């Protein structure tokens, strides 16, 4: 399975499976799975019978002002071994005729066999902020089971504001005043002469003032660089784009696989267009009923447990590569490094700043996604760090090892953006509203912050975050306090339409939810909760550590594929073991 890399696991919806590491996985999606809790009846044949019509006055496709978007035809052109096109969607669905649009790149691997073809299988690689076009160009279709490939063409896209979308998000303002310089906050530490290390748990008034100032500066940079886009990049609107894509692909109903954050996108689609779903697999599930604090505590606790599992089972997984002989010694080594990096950064080759405690915690968290691939590099990095060299841990924290193959996903990106003539003002109109900022080649971090903050309401009062620090530390230690302080950037963000709620998707066919029992980024309990909220929802449990299940286990793979192809239900209580 070839999934995109992940960043900052404690920025809650940063949940994507780290799959540049998954070279040997047999199936291309690590994103599907299912078991069953009961389900609406499914008709015979791959379409499951004739769908009940959702057409009516409230159907967005019937709105005259959206017709030009829904009637688009994708103009496919070659891009390497695949086909690429662009899709134009309104920037603001409340005002689709104002001329402001996003132009989204779309890529397709043409794999379906004539006579067997069911339709298109649309993937979302997660994030938020990961690029679907890169997923296709990285060869995800080659790893999908043959039976699925023969029945579906494999399609993905860069969501609004992400990757090669035009306009795209950035939190780096252009020009000589790019960096936001906040004046020192009263009570903050004076760092004029000696830079200080931000504590993992700010306790004093000065430390908290500094944490607020840092978060405020980040939010200000995002507003300066992408302000007009920020209210329009949420998952609610991205799900509407997904329906426009469905129509442009010529599909009556959507067949979809979403990893991690992709489960949020899929859930939103199912709520808005329940009768347009043919099959939907949500792997590494996000429960929409949880508020920001519940999410942070759940995910942070997941990472703490995963690190403890690493210490307990390292020898059985990586053998002599473990950084110490016993679980107790590994835990002591990690504690020693946390304490050391909170006092002074570890030296990092080619870096003046070195590896601080926050980067250490990041490296630990990011290494919990695929134990079979990541625990050995982590072990080597911890051993080196204990000897005084933080270079390898810094690479893990930044995801550098995952990018060694180069930015393959950008190949042909320009062709993608220009593959289809767009209607007046589309990308250019939106871009002029954004900023003069140069969008980096990889804008996943900006997209992650922007989408997460817009999707999940956050309190404006800083006291709510300080009140969460104690319970977070008790539940998850440094993973918990880091998770809370990372949410501070969302205090000053635009508010989106979404609120914590239970799924409302009357009429949706059985949705398959895959939950991995040791998943650190999307805790298993959320998969259980999401499956129960869908009418006829099905849960497939994967008893193993790591993030997501499909593509890591033959048992999971078989059940997911049978569902995608034949809509075969998974029985309640079904569990695959790793």
């Amino acid at each position: 399975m070839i999934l995109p890399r992940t960043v900052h696991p404690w920025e809650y919806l940063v949940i994507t499976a780290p799959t540049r590491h998954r070279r040997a996985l047999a199936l291309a999606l690590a994103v599907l799975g299912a078991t069953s809790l009961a389900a609406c009846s499914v008709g015979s044949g791959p379409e499951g019978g004739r769908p009940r019509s959702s057409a009516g006055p409230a159907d967005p496709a019937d709105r005259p002002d959206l017709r030009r978007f829904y009637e688009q035809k994708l103009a496919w052109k070659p891009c390497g071994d695949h086909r690429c096109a662009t899709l134009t969607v309104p920037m603001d669905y409340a005002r689709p005729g104002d001329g402001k649009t996003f132009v989204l790149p779309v890529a397709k691997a043409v794999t379906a066999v004539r006579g067997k073809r069911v339709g298109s299988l649309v993937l979302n690689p997660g994030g938020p902020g990961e690029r679907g076009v890169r997923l296709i160009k990285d060869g995800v279709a080659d790893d999908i089971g043959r039976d699925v490939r023969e029945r579906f063409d494999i399609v993905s896209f860069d969501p609004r504001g992400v990757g090669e979308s035009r306009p795209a998000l950035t939190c780096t303002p252009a020009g000589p005043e790019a960096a936001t310089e906040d004046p020192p906050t009263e009570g903050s530490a004076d760092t004029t002469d000696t830079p200080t290390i931000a504590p993992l748990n700010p306790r004093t008034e000065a430390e908290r003032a500094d944490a607020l100032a840092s978060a405020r500066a980040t939010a200000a940079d995002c507003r300066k660089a992408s302000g007009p886009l920020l209210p329009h990049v949420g998952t609610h609107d991205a799900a509407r784009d997904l329906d426009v894509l469905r129509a442009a692909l010529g599909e009556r109903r959507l067949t979809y696989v979403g990893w991690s954050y992709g489960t949020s996108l899929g859930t939103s689609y199912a709520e808005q267009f329940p009768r347009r779903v043919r099959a939907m697999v949500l792997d590494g599930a996000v429960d929409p009923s949880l508020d920001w604090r519940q999410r942070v505590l759940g995910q942070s606790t997941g990472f703490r447990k995963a690190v403890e599992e690493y210490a307990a089972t390292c020898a059985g997984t990586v053998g002599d590569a473990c950084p110490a002989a016993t679980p107790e010694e590994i835990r002591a080594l990690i504690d020693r490094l946390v304490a050391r990096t909170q006092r002074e950064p570890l030296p990092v080759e080619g870096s003046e700043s070195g590896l601080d405690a926050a980067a250490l915690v990041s490296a630990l968290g990011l290494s919990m996604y695929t134990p079979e691939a990541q625990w050995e590099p982590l072990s080597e990095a911890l051993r080196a760090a204990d000897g005084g060299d933080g270079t390898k841990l810094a690479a893990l924290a930044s995801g550098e090892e995952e990018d060694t193959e180069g930015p393959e996903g950008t190949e042909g990106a320009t062709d993608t953006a220009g593959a289809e003539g767009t209607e007046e003002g589309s990308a250019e109109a939106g871009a002029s509203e954004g900023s003069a900022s140069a969008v980096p080649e990889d804008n996943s971090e900006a997209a992650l912050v922007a989408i997460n903050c817009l999707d999940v309401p956050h309190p404006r009062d800083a006291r709510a975050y300080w009140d969460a620090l104690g319970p977070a530390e008790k539940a998850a230690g440094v993973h918990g306090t880091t998770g809370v302080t990372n949410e501070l950037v969302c205090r000053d963000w635009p508010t989106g339409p979404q609120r914590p709620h239970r799924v409302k998707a009357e009429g949706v066919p059985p949705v398959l939810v895959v939950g991995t029992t040791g998943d650190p980024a999307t805790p298993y309990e959320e998969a259980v909760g999401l499956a129960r909220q869908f009418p006829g929802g099905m849960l497939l449990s994967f008893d193993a550590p790591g993030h997501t299940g499909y593509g890591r286990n033959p048992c999971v793979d078989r059940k997911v594929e049978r569902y995608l192809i034949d809509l075969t239900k998974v029985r309640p209580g079904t569990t695959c073991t790793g």
Side-chain angles (χ1 to χ4, degrees):
M1 164 72 59
I2 305 174
L3 301 182
R5 69 182 179 84
T6 338
V7 284
H8 308 319
W10 19 88
E11 211 45 282
Y12 180 70
L13 292 182
V14 175
I15 7 193
T16 65
T19 41
R20 291 287 185 104
H21 289 316
R22 295 191 178 186
R23 313 237 199 286
L25 295 185
L27 290 180
L29 305 172
V31 189
L32 270 99
T35 83
S36 165
L37 299 176
C40 307
S41 61
V42 179
S44 61
E47 280 293 315
R50 186 175 181 177
R52 291 167 288 179
S53 172
S54 63
D59 191 323
D62 288 345
R63 283 176 47 183
D65 54 357
L66 289 177
R67 189 167 298 148
R68 72 183 183 102
F69 299 102
Y70 269 91
E71 292 179 350
Q72 288 176 85
K73 303 298 181 185
L74 294 173
W76 297 106
K77 293 187 177 182
C79 53
D81 295 331
H82 306 99
R83 308 285 289 176
C84 291
T86 57
L87 181 78
T88 302
V89 295
M91 182 172 289
D92 186 348
Y93 276 93
R95 293 188 291 274
D98 65 3
K100 299 175 183 177
T101 62
F102 285 99
V103 177
L104 310 180
V106 183
K108 172 173 68 173
V110 181
T111 59
V113 175
R114 184 175 300 178
K116 292 186 176 181
R117 188 179 189 277
V118 174
S120 298
L121 171 61
V122 180
L123 314 178
N124 178 271
E130 293 297 340
R131 295 179 289 175
V133 168
R134 182 171 67 180
L135 184 74
I136 298 296
K137 291 184 177 183
D138 277 354
V140 67
D142 295 336
D143 296 321
I144 293 177
R146 185 184 66 181
D147 288 348
V148 173
R149 292 199 313 270
E150 289 181 347
R151 290 164 174 81
F152 298 93
D153 294 324
I154 312 303
V155 177
S156 194
F157 68 105
D158 290 1
R160 52 175 53 213
V162 172
E164 293 296 326
S165 158
R166 291 295 175 262
L169 289 158
T170 176
C171 287
T172 306
E177 298 180 359
T180 299
E181 296 289 347
D182 276 16
T185 307
E186 183 177 353
S188 65
D190 181 3
T191 60
T192 304
D193 298 321
T194 305
T196 59
I197 299 174
L200 298 179
N201 185 358
R203 301 178 189 277
T204 69
E205 289 300 318
E207 290 171 346
R208 293 181 175 184
D210 285 343
L212 288 173
S214 177
R216 192 179 305 117
T218 299
D221 281 345
C222 291
R223 287 195 303 271
K224 186 183 297 182
S226 299
L229 303 184
L230 298 183
H232 302 295
V233 296
T235 301
H236 183 83
D237 284 336
R240 301 193 69 170
D241 299 343
L242 185 56
D243 196 56
V244 176
L245 175 60
R246 173 204 56 78
L249 290 169
E251 303 293 346
R252 286 192 308 145
R253 296 195 293 178
L254 177 70
T255 302
Y256 174 84
V257 170
W259 290 261
S260 297
Y261 163 76
T263 69
S264 288
L265 181 61
T267 298
S268 183
Y269 183 90
E271 290 187 302
Q272 296 182 70
F273 308 100
R275 300 183 192 276
R276 296 233 186 92
V277 174
R278 175 191 170 272
M280 179 170 286
V281 180
L282 306 177
D283 188 1
V286 177
D287 184 345
S289 71
L290 304 181
D291 64 23
W292 77 274
R293 179 166 164 166
Q294 291 170 316
R295 293 178 178 217
V296 169
L297 288 176
Q299 191 182 52
S300 300
T301 301
F303 280 106
R304 176 187 62 78
K305 290 180 178 178
V307 173
E308 290 175 352
E309 178 74 4
Y310 160 72
T313 62
C314 179
T317 304
V318 302
D320 293 341
C322 288
T326 67
E328 293 74 21
E329 290 176 353
I330 294 174
R331 295 187 189 99
L333 186 156
I334 292 173
D335 290 344
R336 188 163 63 243
L337 288 175
V338 169
R340 181 175 177 179
T341 52
Q342 287 190 93
R343 295 192 303 269
E344 181 180 8
L346 286 174
V348 171
E349 184 178 346
S351 169
E352 294 183 3
S353 57
L355 179 92
D356 63 11
L360 169 62
V361 175
S362 179
L364 288 169
L366 285 170
S367 299
M368 296 299 112
Y369 283 69
T370 45
E372 60 270 29
Q374 295 177 290
W375 281 6
E376 186 167 350
L378 173 64
S379 297
E380 295 171 354
L382 288 172
R383 187 187 300 275
D386 199 37
D389 184 358
T391 304
K392 290 184 177 181
L393 277 177
L396 293 179
S398 65
E400 287 178 9
E401 284 200 356
E402 295 170 357
D403 287 335
T404 55
E405 297 176 25
E408 185 178 343
T410 62
E411 179 186 350
T414 302
D415 293 340
T416 301
E420 177 188 15
T422 58
E423 301 178 62
E424 86 285 341
S426 55
E428 290 76 17
S432 64
E433 283 289 323
S435 71
S437 304
V439 178
E441 181 178 301
D442 181 357
N443 73 337
S444 58
E445 292 193 35
L448 185 152
V449 173
I451 297 167
N452 183 32
C453 291
L454 189 66
D455 277 359
V456 183
H458 283 71
R460 302 294 188 190
D461 186 355
R463 175 54 54 186
Y465 302 88
W466 309 144
D467 288 346
L469 282 172
E473 182 175 40
K474 183 177 180 180
V478 295
H479 303 282
T481 57
T482 303
V484 171
T485 55
N486 279 343
E487 297 295 312
L488 287 169
V489 69
C490 296
R491 288 178 63 235
D492 300 317
W493 217 262
T495 300
Q498 298 189 167
R499 296 292 183 272
H501 67 282
R502 293 184 62 81
V503 173
K504 299 175 182 178
E506 182 180 354
V508 73
V511 170
L512 307 180
V513 180
V514 179
T516 301
T517 58
D519 195 323
T522 49
Y524 175 71
E525 293 76 16
E526 295 197 38
V528 174
L530 184 64
R532 287 174 176 167
Q533 292 172 48
F534 273 107
M538 301 182 291
L539 174 69
L540 173 62
S541 299
F542 178 38
D543 188 10
H547 183 44
T548 72
Y550 181 45
R552 296 176 59 203
N553 178 266
C555 168
V556 175
D557 298 344
R558 286 193 299 270
K559 296 182 186 304
V560 164
E561 294 208 336
R562 292 269 56 87
Y563 167 72
L564 280 179
I565 295 169
D566 301 322
L567 305 180
T568 301
K569 298 178 186 179
V570 179
R571 294 179 179 179
T574 300
T575 299
C576 295
T577 57

